Amino acid sequence: MISFRDVTKVFGSGTGAVCAVDSVTLDIQRGEIFSVIGYSGAGKSTLVRLVNALETVTSGQVVVDGQDITALGESELRQVRAGIGMVFQQFNLMKSRTVASNVAYPLKVARWSKERRKERVAELLEFVGLADKARAYPSQLSGGQKQRVGIARALATQPAILLADEATSALDPDTTQDVLALLKRVNQELGVTIVVITHEMDVVRSIADRVAVMEAGRVIEHGPVYDVFAAPRERATQRFISTTLRDRPSPDALERLRHRHPGRMITVAVRENDGRGVDVTAALREHGVAGSIVFGGITEIDERPFGSLTIEVDGDQAAVDALIADLRRSTDVQDLGTREQPLGDDPLASAHVGAARDVGAGGGP
Ligand SMILES: Nc1ncnc2c1ncn2[C@@H]1O[C@H](COP(=O)(O)OP(=O)(O)OP(=O)(O)O)[C@@H](O)[C@H]1O
Ligand SMILES: [Mg+2]
């Protein structure tokens, strides 16, 4: 549906030049929900703005639905843009117009008759669950309701593609889930291909089929969400994930942990491997090693387990070494050493201050 072919976008020139998108090659399939994540300034917004030609490429091609849009003139681009809806973080509603009038606006621009506009607006407001707010003004709506209006407006002309740039970033977690559920319906019931730009891993986890990770203008990694998150290949992806999941002790948290737990600590990645989970408890029992969970977090992606556990292990050194070797056959294990002989910080943990989610002492398997 959307194909980036060696796309580069440079803003400015000379010493002030910024390469916002750097040699990106990426395919987004028809009918999927594709997510682009990355830290601020990574180039996410610029990348999607190239899809509806709000920005023009410096080099490379952007092919939308079989058409190379980098070769099109302004009047042809208008056609392409009509097939692409966009929703924004700040909703961008017209304050002086009612909800119905906001939704009707793109139809007016597209010269739909008054009769058909009225019908379509009613249908759209019904779909987003705001039929009773047709005559309300944006100021009378909650953030979530405003974004529903934004989505209804973006869908008005029946686009095949919907671009959502941080569409839920201004919303609280519950409202975010409501809006994501609506986007999922848009995808499933209307067959719209959706590109979701976000810096929140939770958003990706909730709705995306595939994800691309951007850093400094480049797509450093992409693939099915579980594959990228459960076994990230790039350090930046690993850091990104642990920053959001906070399942691994940061250097600060590790220092506090060592204070309370002088023994050897290991961090075990919990994930599915060839359809099988990692049974840490069984491995401990098998090797006669006692373990106490001191830090961690496990969640689900795609109905599969994902996260990590930091465990203080207690047993003779040979047994612990054998345990680690055994676990490493099915997952990643970070040996953190002991208080006396630390093996450094967990390189996968974020240095983010306050990222600690300490589960305290005791209560181990
Ligand atoms: N119109 C512009 N002129 C000059 N530089 C720009 C322009 N738009 C973006 N940039 C620069 O390009 C880089 C990428 O910006 P972009 O907005 O695409 O990042 P982003 O990943 O969307 O970030 P955020 O998460 O903060 O929205 C940044 O360094 C930014 O300063
Ligand atoms: Mg942005």
Side-chain angles (χ1 to χ4, degrees):
M1 193 63 162
I2 304 168
S3 188
F4 299 94
R5 297 182 186 160
D6 202 17
V7 171
T8 292
K9 173 65 181 179
V10 179
F11 288 109
S13 59
T15 48
V18 176
C19 191
V21 173
D22 187 0
S23 321
V24 168
T25 294
L26 191 68
D27 285 315
I28 295 173
Q29 309 301 329
R30 186 182 301 275
E32 75 175 334
I33 301 184
F34 192 93
S35 188
V36 181
I37 55 167
Y39 293 110
S40 186
K44 308 180 295 294
S45 295
T46 306
L47 188 74
V48 289
R49 288 166 62 83
L50 292 168
V51 175
N52 53 5
L54 287 176
E55 302 286 356
T56 52
V57 300
T58 304
S59 64
Q61 294 174 312
V62 181
V63 180
V64 178
D65 207 4
Q67 215 173 8
D68 178 3
I69 65 160
T70 46
L72 298 182
E74 193 53 39
S75 69
E76 293 160 308
L77 278 179
R78 238 173 279 139
Q79 290 283 332
V80 174
R81 286 196 195 107
I84 303 175
M86 191 154 185
V87 283
F88 308 87
Q89 178 171 2
Q90 297 308 333
F91 321 123
N92 295 7
L93 301 179
M94 294 177 284
K95 292 189 186 72
S96 60
R97 289 175 185 254
T98 62
V99 164
S101 170
N102 266 282
V103 176
Y105 187 75
L107 299 172
K108 219 167 169 175
V109 172
R111 299 175 190 277
W112 285 41
S113 71
K114 198 168 178 190
E115 199 96 306
R116 282 181 67 213
R117 281 200 317 253
K118 209 173 152 201
E119 215 170 283
R120 180 71 180 142
V121 168
E123 190 178 289
L124 286 158
L125 290 180
E126 186 69 43
F127 184 80
V128 302
L130 288 178
D132 57 331
K133 297 287 184 194
R135 290 163 179 280
Y137 286 88
S139 62
Q140 296 167 312
L141 303 179
S142 69
Q145 289 170 334
K146 281 181 200 162
Q147 197 55 291
R148 284 168 185 277
V149 177
I151 292 168
R153 180 187 54 187
L155 294 174
T157 55
Q158 296 177 309
I161 298 171
L162 182 66
L163 308 174
D165 192 351
E166 302 284 4
T168 58
S169 300
L171 307 175
D172 66 54
D174 282 351
T175 313
T176 291
Q177 287 306 320
D178 289 347
V179 169
L180 293 179
L182 174 59
L183 288 177
K184 198 142 205 171
R185 274 181 58 219
V186 169
N187 172 254
Q188 287 173 347
E189 294 174 26
L190 309 178
V192 175
T193 303
I194 305 183
V195 184
V196 176
I197 306 295
T198 183
H199 61 272
E200 296 171 289
M201 205 188 82
D202 263 347
V203 170
V204 180
R205 203 174 64 189
S206 301
I207 64 164
D209 300 309
R210 293 195 305 144
V211 60
V213 184
M214 281 191 84
E215 188 186 49
R218 289 181 162 268
V219 168
I220 56 170
E221 196 160 346
H222 65 95
V225 174
Y226 191 85
D227 296 356
V228 171
F229 283 0
R233 279 170 303 147
E234 299 294 326
R235 203 33 72 83
T237 316
Q238 292 164 349
R239 265 193 298 116
F240 194 89
I241 291 166
S242 65
T243 310
T244 17
L245 197 60
R246 299 175 183 187
D247 59 331
R248 290 169 180 270
S250 64
D252 286 359
L254 186 57
E255 203 180 303
R256 287 195 297 275
L257 286 176
R258 288 204 199 281
H259 193 72
R260 283 199 305 276
H261 306 283
R264 190 161 172 190
M265 285 191 284
I266 61 173
T267 296
V268 183
V270 177
R271 63 172 180 240
E272 220 175 62
N273 211 348
D274 296 328
R276 293 189 46 225
V278 179
D279 197 340
V280 183
T281 319
L284 286 165
R285 201 185 310 120
E286 203 174 301
H287 290 275
V289 175
S292 167
I293 299 174
V294 296
F295 200 96
I298 300 173
T299 183
E300 259 187 333
I301 297 177
D302 231 358
E303 297 174 13
R304 294 148 85 188
F306 167 66
S308 71
L309 294 174
T310 299
I311 303 167
E312 183 185 30
V313 286
D314 184 14
D316 66 61
Q317 195 173 336
V320 172
D321 287 343
L323 166 75
I324 292 173
D326 201 11
L327 284 171
R328 278 188 176 148
R329 269 193 277 279
S330 57
T331 190
D332 289 336
V333 180
Q334 204 65 51
D335 190 351
L336 300 168
T338 63
R339 182 158 75 196
E340 294 306 313
Q341 283 179 301
L343 287 173
D345 296 327
D346 185 338
L348 302 186
S350 67
H352 186 64
V353 181
R357 194 170 62 198
D358 207 323
V359 296

